[in-house]
Structure formats: C-alpha cells, structure tokens
Amino acid sequence: MLRRLAAAAVGVLAVAFLCVPPAAALALPTPKDLTAFLDLECFKTSPYQPPATTLTLRHINPVLSTLPIETVTLGQREQLCVPVAKNTQVPPSPALDFIKYIDLSCYRISGATVNAGLVLSHLNPLFQNLPRTQISMNSPQQLCVPVIKNNVVPPPEVLSLVSHVDLKCYGITPNNPLNQQLSLRQLNPVLTPMIPTHGAQVLYARQLCVPVQKAGDTIPSAVFNIVRWIDLEKFDLVTPALPTVSLTLRHINPVLAGLPVEQAVLTGASQLALPVAKNGNFPPG
C-alpha cells in the first residue's frame, strides 16, 4: 500500500511539474524608458587592434537619416563602456533587464566631417531641468559595438535587442561643461563585484554617439524602433582610483560575430555617456 501511495504521489508531482508554465519572456521596454536611464561609464582599455574589418554604416535616427552612408575601418580599441546607475536612481523594469547588459566596445574610426548643427536635451530625470545646448557634430571618431564580458550571455530576448546597439561617435563643439558630482554604481552582473560604487565629477562634453546600422545586420522591427533612439553625449569624467579589471570580450552583433575573442584590461574610467534627444525629437513611450 505504501509503495502504491508513494508511486501515486510521484506521479502527481511529475504531472504538476510538467504543467508548470514556462517563465514569461521579458517584455521590450519603451524607447523612452530604455534611453532615459541608459548611462554608460567608459573605461580606457589596454590597446588592441582587431583584424582588418570594414563596415558600411547608415544612420537610423530620424534626425540624421539624411546623412550619407559611410564605409569605415575598425581601428584600435580605446574604451569599454558599461552600464551604471547614478546616485540612488534605479532604472525601472523592464528597462533595467536590458540596460544592465548593454556593454559597448569602442574602436577608433575616421570619416567625413558632417558639421551638423543640433540642439541637445538631456533625457535622464536627474538632468531634465538642465538647459538645452547647441552643438556642431563634426567628424566621426569611434564606433562602439555590443560585446559580452567573460562569456556571460544575457537572456535570449535581451540579447535580441542589445546585440543591435551600434553607436557612431562624433567629435562635437563647443565642449560645454556639465559640472555635476555623481555617485556611480555598476549594473552589469560581471562588474558589480569588481568595481565599487564611487564618486565621479562630470566635466566637458566631447562626443555625440548616434545609432547606426551595419550593412548585413537585419534588425527586427520592434528592436529597430527602440535602438534608433539611443543618442549618448560623452563627457570627461574624474573618479578616484578604481581596481584594475581583466576581462574577456566577445562580439555579439551578427556582422562582427566572427571576430576573435579579445582580452581587455580596464585601466580607469575616463568618460560618462548620458542620454540626450536631438532637436526636440524625443523617444516615444
């Protein structure tokens, strides 16, 4: 009798286990929620030159869609930009689930000077009351592309978005100062135990990084309608001495997935990339 009851109990548990619905997939954030809380701390890295790679890039943000398509060559890696939270601010869900996996490796490029006049507005709630600034977007200096660190792969629905975040960074003038003192906390699970929360003084604006699409990269429409709104203004940053961190980087954008794995040593934070809107064209949501 006991054996029959035990067997029946096991059977009930097995059926119950099989009937448990799978975990719900993460919903995509709105463009407004993702961009408003996307702050990236950019660290200098040990020098690395990728294999000879040429990429054809087109602008996908509506404000810059008339700029010409351009072919660039990847130069030396200069930075790794990783997601952080400012002060006590925490990005809302589901935006946080995506933001914490946006890691961008930035490589030197060159290209045509565009001299595009733009008016920039801060998107993050901490800075929304700051005045708009007028800038000229000049020559391309970097291409920042998505990577994963130490083989930590995000969930599939997160990967389907973050793998298509490509930003072309242009030098800008004038170099307006932000003059803000912040506390920065790492969001990516790889770096949270390695880099402590620290103070940071945000100084002069140096670049505007705008979204582009690489030839050969097919972006799903729902993802395209989010990543096309990612515009980040990069400011010089001063922080206390931070731990030296060694990482393995692997490209996740389909066009660059064949590039070799890279080793990178972070040698100090140098810039902070903050979300902005151009010419009053704000992300929907």
Side-chain angles (χ1 to χ4, degrees), residues 118-122 130-135 174 176-177 233 235 276:
L118 299 168
V119 176
L120 304 182
S121 308
H122 283 280
L130 293 179
R132 296 183 177 190
T133 56
Q134 293 187 339
I135 59 108
N176 299 304
E233 189 176 15
F235 294 81
V276 293

Side-chain angles (χ1 to χ4, degrees), residues 25-26 55 85 177 198 206 284:
L26 289 170
L55 300 166
H198 55 274
R206 298 296 179 187

Side-chain angles (χ1 to χ4, degrees), residues 146-273:
V147 294
I148 59 171
K149 305 188 301 293
N150 294 0
N151 291 315
V152 176
V153 181
E157 58 269 35
V158 175
L159 186 64
S160 70
L161 186 149
V162 301
S163 62
H164 299 289
V165 178
D166 291 301
L167 301 181
K168 191 177 183 182
C169 299
Y170 289 78
I172 60 174
T173 51
N175 303 122
N176 299 304
L178 195 65
N179 290 332
Q180 296 286 324
Q181 187 72 35
L182 299 171
S183 174
L184 301 180
R185 177 172 59 87
Q186 300 297 316
L187 291 178
N188 184 270
V190 174
L191 291 182
T192 50
M194 298 182 180
I195 300 177
T197 299
H198 55 274
Q201 186 178 6
V202 190
L203 301 175
Y204 292 91
R206 298 296 179 187
Q207 290 180 332
L208 180 65
C209 299
V210 297
V212 292
Q213 181 178 10
K214 301 194 294 289
D217 183 17
T218 301
I219 306 177
S221 59
V223 170
F224 181 85
N225 289 330
I226 297 173
V227 299
R228 71 185 308 193
W229 295 101
I230 298 175
D231 292 299
L232 301 178
E233 189 176 15
K234 284 167 90 173
F235 294 81
D236 289 343
L237 192 66
V238 176
T239 71
L242 298 173
T244 299
V245 175
S246 297
L247 299 169
T248 297
L249 306 180
R250 179 161 65 85
H251 289 275
I252 55 175
N253 183 269
V255 177
L256 296 180
L259 287 181
V261 172
E262 302 176 14
Q263 302 302 315
V265 178
L266 306 190
T267 58
S270 59
Q271 290 185 314
L272 183 67

